[in-house]
Amino acid sequence: MSDKIKYFLEESKMPKTWYNIAADLPKPLSPVLHPGTLKPIGPDDLAPLFPMALIGQEVSQDREIEIPEPVREIYKQWRPSPLYRARKLEKALDTTAKIYYKYEGVSPTGSHKPNTAVAQAFFNKEEGTKKITTETGAGQWGSSLAFACSIFKIELDVYMVKVSYEQKPYRKMIMQTFGANCYASPSNRTPTGKAILEKDPNNTGSLGIAISEAVEMAAQDDHTKYSLGSVLNHVLMHQTIVGNEAIMQMEMADDYPDILVGCTGGGSNFSGLAFPFLGKKFREKKDIKVIACEPKSCPTLTKGKFAYDFGDTGMRTPLVKMHTLGSSFMPPSTHSGGLRYHGMAPLVSHLTDLGAIEPKAFGQKECFEAGVKFANAEGIVPAPEATHAVKGAIDAALECKKNGEKKTILFNLCGHGHFDMQAYGDYFNNKLSDDRYNEADANKALEKLPKIA
Ligand SMILES: *Cc1c(COP(=O)(O)O)cnc(C)c1O
């Protein structure tokens, strides 16, 4: 056995396709419904918001979808991303398990998000889109799409959740650097934003509200499209470049994971790593345990209901069947902005319902503790969101130690925390709030779920 810590794939071996798990699902996804007619929607219903190529990917049943050459050329700036063996962390934990991590913090904006941002900007450009609108939580998605839109010369308006807009000014400035416009949401620019501000001028915003604002602006203009950084099938598929590379890198390491771990906000980085391995499980019966880590303050998979709901607070999107805390639920503000979403990707929800994914919820403090431990062992400061995956991986490794098991763990370190050091500061100064999940509020929001016969 080699004692390598770093597995770099050659550029020439970079995967040329994305993986579409729809082809291998044991049971098909429930249809997306029109909010008015409650009938399954067709491509025409989505055409005002998305380019046809992405709509085609959203409903495709093909297992492999080619990554266009221009997208692969841009990916080459940071892909293939490295896979590391966390030998120092293993030692610090004194575990019998082997721990590997795939590091997506090497991208230009420091997370996995450019994997789909570049693809979405490319397909929009091909179909003549002049302007894109989107929402962003902590600003990871907004800055990634701003980077991608600057490459393809597309104008970009970003609605940024107000609490993050105020707490995290640096990501806003990255968006400005790439030429994008960034507005605090709720804003006075849209009907949904105005209505919310009228009722509650101090509303700090949520991803659900920001989505409503961005969708409204795109729907009213023919040359403007909307883009989402997570949740949708095509977004998750673009992220599978991560897992496709990881499969090859695990082969280089002469190993195969028994346990996969990722953090889930909308589900995209988790799916990017997990879906290609889950595909192997479904096709080749290669067993694997897959753990989705979410915050206790927004416990969509562990406490939510698997039901049809809106993707946004303004109730403008189609209805999707997913784990949800209710589209009117306002998750409390935490430092893991990227994980504050009332819903979850339909594909992740479906696979959790089928028992292929095991969800776990963790508190803020235990996650930062894990993040600091990881940083001291491996020298990389994880994004607050990513600390949930670190915590999940450390727990799995300690479980192996307890049972004397020599399992192999692989987790997705989906981003670095360099713009989130205020969060670490709050952790060090004991200023992190306890995890407040208001079950009564969620139950109230769940009572308002659309009634589907
Ligand atoms: C956006 C983001 C997330 C949450 O989104 P997913 O779609 O669940 O991946 C998690 N981590 C980081 C670093 C992010 O930027």
Side-chain angles (χ1 to χ4, degrees):
M1 267 297 283
S2 84
D3 55 359
K4 276 171 81 160
I5 58 164
K6 201 160 66 182
Y7 296 88
F8 270 125
L9 259 187
E10 276 171 50
E11 200 177 277
S12 61
K13 300 224 173 91
M14 195 168 94
K16 294 190 169 61
T17 56
W18 291 301
Y19 168 65
N20 179 16
I21 200 168
D24 293 320
L25 287 176
K27 190 181 143 196
L29 269 187
S30 301
V32 176
L33 304 181
H34 189 283
T37 63
L38 301 186
K39 296 259 178 333
I41 59 164
D44 289 351
D45 295 304
L46 295 174
L49 293 183
F50 302 102
M52 287 318 284
L54 293 177
I55 295 172
Q57 291 172 12
E58 189 65 18
V59 297
S60 171
Q61 295 293 316
D62 298 341
R63 183 173 292 128
E64 311 285 345
I65 293 187
E66 195 194 326
I67 306 173
E69 165 82 28
V71 173
R72 273 188 280 135
E73 277 305 309
I74 297 166
Y75 275 179
K76 278 185 190 164
Q77 188 187 341
W78 71 95
R79 309 213 68 86
S81 71
L83 181 121
Y84 292 99
R85 168 101 182 256
R87 288 190 183 271
K88 293 204 195 96
L89 180 64
E90 289 169 12
K91 208 171 243 166
L93 299 172
D94 188 27
T95 175
T96 43
K98 286 183 269 180
I99 307 174
Y100 295 84
Y101 59 98
K102 181 79 166 151
Y103 185 41
E104 289 296 307
V106 293
S107 84
T109 53
S111 78
H112 62 288
K113 295 228 166 66
N115 296 332
T116 184
V118 168
Q120 292 191 47
F122 168 80
F123 290 112
N124 268 288
K125 186 69 182 183
E126 289 263 284
E127 295 183 31
T129 302
K130 299 272 181 283
K131 180 174 179 171
I132 294 178
T133 63
T134 196
E135 71 290 327
T136 194
Q140 286 276 22
W141 171 240
S143 50
S144 300
L145 191 60
F147 156 68
C149 283
S150 79
I151 296 173
F152 292 102
K153 310 243 177 311
I154 302 172
E155 202 185 323
L156 176 65
D157 281 358
V158 182
Y159 291 85
M160 183 168 182
V161 176
K162 194 183 277 166
V163 57
S164 300
Y165 185 91
E166 284 159 4
Q167 274 179 5
K168 306 198 166 173
Y170 293 131
R171 287 243 173 70
K172 177 176 69 191
M173 291 168 206
I174 295 179
M175 293 178 227
Q176 286 171 341
T177 304
F178 288 123
N181 308 303
C182 181
Y183 307 105
S185 165
S187 79
N188 265 318
R189 300 171 52 84
T190 67
T192 297
K194 278 186 197 143
I196 288 168
L197 288 176
E198 245 162 57
K199 265 202 239 154
D200 175 13
N202 298 320
N203 190 297
T204 53
S206 71
L207 273 177
I209 295 172
I211 293 174
S212 298
E213 294 205 274
V215 167
E216 268 171 16
M217 293 311 267
Q220 35 171 260
D221 186 284
D222 278 352
H223 300 289
T224 302
K225 297 283 182 209
Y226 165 71
S227 164
L228 193 62
S230 185
V231 179
L232 299 178
N233 303 344
H234 68 268
V235 180
L236 274 47
M237 189 191 72
H238 297 156
Q239 293 296 348
T240 59
I241 179 97
V242 175
N244 281 344
E245 287 177 4
I247 286 176
M248 292 196 259
Q249 287 164 313
M250 289 304 299
E251 268 171 30
M252 289 167 74
D254 199 15
D255 211 341
Y256 194 83
D258 301 295
I259 302 172
L260 286 182
V261 186
C263 67
T264 46
S268 74
N269 86 81
F270 166 81
S271 304
L273 179 68
F275 283 5
F277 287 96
L278 276 174
K280 277 171 117 40
K281 171 169 168 162
F282 296 144
R283 292 193 310 275
E284 302 164 24
K285 309 275 172 272
K286 262 178 134 45
D287 200 27
I288 197 161
K289 179 165 156 163
V290 181
I291 302 172
C293 305
E294 63 181 12
K296 272 191 177 151
S297 57
C298 191
T300 320
L301 283 172
T302 50
K303 294 263 177 82
K305 198 167 160 183
F306 186 44
Y308 272 100
D309 197 6
F310 293 96
D312 70 325
T313 307
M315 304 188 177
R316 285 173 190 277
T317 65
L319 298 171
V320 291
K321 193 166 182 198
M322 62 179 175
H323 284 83
T324 178
L325 299 169
S327 66
S328 56
F329 176 73
M330 276 280 291
S333 50
T334 69
H335 282 296
S336 296
L339 306 183
R340 278 182 78 226
Y341 181 57
H342 71 269
M344 181 53 62
L347 276 169
V348 173
S349 294
H350 182 68
L351 287 162
T352 303
D353 190 56
L354 293 177
I357 295 170
E358 194 180 306
K360 288 196 173 156
F362 297 112
Q364 286 207 87
K365 285 179 197 162
E366 56 182 344
C367 287
F368 277 105
E369 191 187 332
V372 171
K373 187 170 213 113
F374 178 85
N376 279 282
E378 299 293 318
I380 299 173
V381 181
E385 292 86 356
T387 61
H388 292 71
V390 173
K391 170 67 180 160
I394 288 179
D395 276 12
L398 292 176
E399 175 87 15
C400 289
K401 175 180 172 178
K402 200 174 77 190
N403 301 328
E405 292 168 322
K406 294 199 161 100
K407 289 191 175 161
T408 295
I409 299 165
L410 168 62
F411 74 97
N412 197 358
L413 187 64
C414 55
H416 66 64
H418 297 178
F419 295 111
D420 304 286
M421 293 319 291
Q422 182 64 45
Y424 279 85
D426 287 357
Y427 168 69
F428 295 132
N429 296 322
N430 228 343
K431 278 205 236 154
L432 283 188
S433 53
D434 285 323
D435 305 292
R436 288 170 295 130
Y437 167 61
N438 192 329
E439 194 146 8
D441 275 4
N443 285 339
K444 244 187 263 162
L446 286 173
E447 273 169 28
K448 287 190 226 148
L449 285 186
K451 308 270 179 289
I452 312 288

